[in-house]
Structures are given as C-alpha cells and as structure tokens.
Amino acid sequence: MSDSKLTLYSYPTANGVAASILLEELGIPYEAVKMSISDADIGKVHNQVKSPWYLELNPNGKIPTISHNGFNVFETSAILLYLTAEFDKENKFNFHPIQNPKEYSEVLQWVFFSHGGLGPMQGQGAHFLHASEKIPYAINRFTTEARRVYSILEDRLSKHEWIAGGKYTIADIKAFGWIRRHGLVEIDLEKEFPKLKAWHDKIDARPAVQKGVKIPA
Ligand SMILES: N[C@@H](CCC(=O)N[C@@H](CS)C(=O)NCC(=O)O)C(=O)O
C-alpha cells in the first residue's frame, strides 16, 4: 500500500454504502465527503453532485466517487474493483485475476449482475412506486423485474453460502447495498426470500458493515 490520500464522495444510499462498507472492511484511512443528491440543492449547495467541480471527478454527476492520490474512479462496481486491486493484497474480498481466474470471473459476473440488473430494476421500481404520478405499467414492470432478480439471488443462495467464489466478496457487498433497501420496492424479505434474508442478516452483523452503512455521517 502506498502513502496515499483517499477521499470518498458519497451519501449513504444503496450505491454509496457499497463503497463505504468495503473501505471499512479494508480498514484503510480515508476521508468521507457528504454530497447532496437532491435536485432541490442544484446550484445552491457546494457539495452537490451536479456541481461543476464534482463533474470533473465524476462526469455522471452521481455518488459514489473516490479520489486516490488524484486519480478518480466513478461507478460503484469500478470503485469496488479498484479498491480490491489496490488495497486488498491478500485477496480477502476478491480473487487474484491470474492466480484464480475462475473465481475472479465468478465475482465479476455477480458484480455485473447487481450493477446492471439488481440496482437499475430496484432503483426504477422505487422511483415509480414513490413518484407523485402513478404509472401502473412502469410500477409493475420494474417491481416485477426486481422480484425476478431477487429470486435469482435466492436460488443462488440456496446452493451457496456466499454469492461468488465460496467466500464473502465484493459480489456480496455490491448486492447487499440494494437488498438492505428491499422495503423501497415493498418486498418482504423474510417471507418472500428467506435465504436472502439469512444472508443479509449475516452481512449486516459485521462490524465493518455496521460502520459503513452510516458513512458519510
Ligand atoms: N451506476 C451508478 C449509479 C449511481 C447512482 O445512481 N447514484 C445515485 C444515488 S444511489 C445518485 O447519485 N443520485 C443523484 C442524482 O442522480 O442526481 C453507480 O453505480 O455508481
């Protein structure tokens, strides 16, 4: 590990906590900057995700972002992969791409699955469920898709203790950020997805996770 300055720009949402949980699990020093993600703050608040200074770090204008010795990384999963490559030399939360290519691929597959499926479907489901204008087609489309994605994870966890590679990895951390917010799409985890609930509770009990979900304070 180099002498490094690491800053996390975030907010404790489903995406934000994936980055802070991993940082806490890695136990590396970092500074957390709380961003405003509210449309009402655009143009008014300095730490706003659409501020010109922030768009220099993250052209997509969303959280999370990390800045490591002046190198910026945006997109949650790219952050998880960067942090494990840079700071997890013992491969506690990922696998070495050359030494364990199959396990590494498995982690990538499930990280991408959550990044491209779980997050967007649940995010849109929550958006349309809680929007002032109720569009039944959109609500049904995205909440049904979110449930379908949950059922794939439920099936996976009925055959494996962890999502990928036989151990707790960034594939679990990435999915956990979203699964812990199942209430946003009115999913009853205990009743509908008992294996996911047991997996969720195991991760939730980890001290680093307890800390990570509250960052930035
Ligand atoms: N694909 C992006 C999604 C990030 C994202 O949607 N962040 C939300 C909070 S969870 C955000 O910053 N929203 C504020 C906005 O869209 O203005 C990632 O994984 O980093």
Side-chain angles (χ1 to χ4, degrees):
M1 198 191 307
S2 54
D3 238 353
S4 57
K5 174 161 169 41
L6 184 62
T7 307
L8 168 72
Y9 301 88
S10 193
Y11 192 88
T13 61
N15 285 317
V17 301
S20 44
I21 287 172
L22 180 59
L23 283 162
E24 291 301 322
E25 292 280 14
L26 291 168
I28 49 178
Y30 67 100
E31 181 199 355
V33 175
K34 192 172 194 168
M35 300 300 297
S36 170
I37 58 173
S38 154
D39 283 351
D41 290 338
I42 293 178
K44 292 185 219 147
V45 175
H46 172 66
N47 282 350
Q48 212 282 335
V49 287
K50 301 295 186 279
S51 303
W53 69 268
Y54 185 72
L55 293 173
E56 292 287 319
L57 312 182
N58 180 337
N60 197 28
K62 290 178 187 278
I63 61 94
T65 302
I66 58 164
S67 185
H68 178 218
N69 293 335
F71 182 70
N72 305 317
V73 187
F74 74 105
E75 289 294 319
T76 312
S77 302
I79 292 171
L80 299 180
L81 288 164
Y82 179 86
L83 288 174
T84 50
E86 197 71 20
F87 297 103
D88 185 18
K89 297 302 178 204
E90 291 168 19
N91 299 303
K92 283 195 194 158
F93 306 105
N94 199 351
F95 291 89
H96 193 282
I98 311 291
Q99 287 159 9
N100 296 95
K102 292 203 167 60
E103 288 85 354
Y104 180 74
S105 167
E106 213 170 273
V107 169
L108 283 191
Q109 292 167 50
W110 287 96
V111 165
F112 288 12
F113 171 81
S114 289
H115 195 99
L118 174 62
M121 294 308 128
Q122 182 167 332
Q124 294 303 314
H127 173 84
F128 284 109
L129 256 176
H130 303 287
S132 50
E133 186 190 353
K134 301 289 177 227
I135 306 172
Y137 179 82
I139 293 173
N140 185 43
R141 161 78 186 159
F142 290 114
T143 56
T144 303
E145 263 302 289
R147 272 201 170 72
R148 190 188 66 79
V149 169
Y150 271 55
S151 71
I152 291 166
L153 287 169
E154 178 76 2
D155 185 52
R156 179 81 184 161
L157 292 167
S158 67
K159 297 173 190 135
H160 302 268
E161 185 182 2
W162 301 105
I163 290 178
K167 68 182 185 191
Y168 171 67
T169 66
I170 55 172
D172 299 288
I173 293 173
K174 172 68 194 156
F176 176 78
W178 284 98
I179 301 296
R180 71 185 281 271
R181 306 304 308 278
H182 54 274
L184 290 174
V185 279
E186 297 175 352
I187 285 177
D188 181 336
L189 207 56
E190 191 152 23
K191 222 155 100 194
E192 298 180 59
F193 302 105
K195 298 279 191 254
L196 257 179
K197 167 78 171 128
W199 164 91
H200 165 280
D201 291 353
K202 232 173 5 179
I203 296 176
D204 196 43
R206 296 176 69 88
V209 173
Q210 287 292 316
K211 274 182 155 179
V213 296
K214 297 187 194 103
I215 289 172

